[in-house]
Amino acid sequence: MSVIDQALKANRLYAQKYDPKLGRHPQPRLAVVTCMDPRLSDLEGILGLKNADIDVIRTGGPTVTEDVLGELVVSTRVLGTKEIMLLNHTGCGFTTFTDGELNAKFTEVTGDSTPAPMRFFSYKDPEVNTREQIRKVRSHPWIAKDVPVRGFIFDVDTGRLQEVIVAEEKKLEKMAA
Ligand SMILES: [Zn+2]
């Protein structure tokens, strides 16, 4: 049986016990931008929040694209989330290749070069990635200045979160200069 057929079968049982109250208008409190990696899927467990409290925006990496910025504007200004969390992780697959390598690989395996160069948003360092995301989100004119924007790295070996601080880095840069 295909995975989707298996899921459809399970859904029939799920619907029998479904609480219709869950279909009411959502009122999430936190917007989380995180990677498509399945190890980041248990956000209830990782963050100790209810699914209903979390507005989840997922991309590879994660990457804060123009689309993600639009979703954050909607999340904070329409759905009413109060804070933004940028959730990166160790061991991300997107650090294991470059966009150039992937474009070359897919051109070769498919024999079709028309979609290249495709943006895959590969990166090398989750800390650098997180800092760039924080700056990008904080500087967006449509994201209110009083919405906290904080970045973290989830350690896939320990399950712990480590915060990435941008302000301190600026201070350190000043001291070094
Ligand atoms: Zn990842």
Side-chain angles (χ1 to χ4, degrees), residues 58-136:
R58 295 184 83 160
T59 58
T63 309
V64 175
T65 60
E66 287 302 309
D67 290 339
V68 168
L69 286 167
E71 284 151 14
L72 286 172
V73 170
V74 170
S75 183
T76 53
R77 292 201 182 263
V78 180
L79 291 174
T81 51
K82 304 288 179 224
E83 301 177 41
I84 294 171
M85 176 186 255
L86 305 167
L87 185 51
N88 285 250
H89 69 109
T90 61
C92 185
F94 283 76
T95 62
T96 62
F97 51 74
T98 65
D99 281 26
E101 285 164 4
L102 224 51
N103 274 297
K105 182 182 169 181
F106 295 147
T107 296
E108 197 188 315
V109 296
T110 64
D112 191 338
S113 64
T114 46
M118 192 172 244
R119 288 293 301 275
F120 294 107
F121 300 99
S122 59
Y123 66 98
K124 285 294 161 220
D125 182 337
E127 239 182 275
V128 173
N129 203 38
T130 309
R131 282 197 205 105
E132 281 168 9
Q133 293 164 355
I134 295 170
R135 288 197 193 102
K136 213 169 177 180

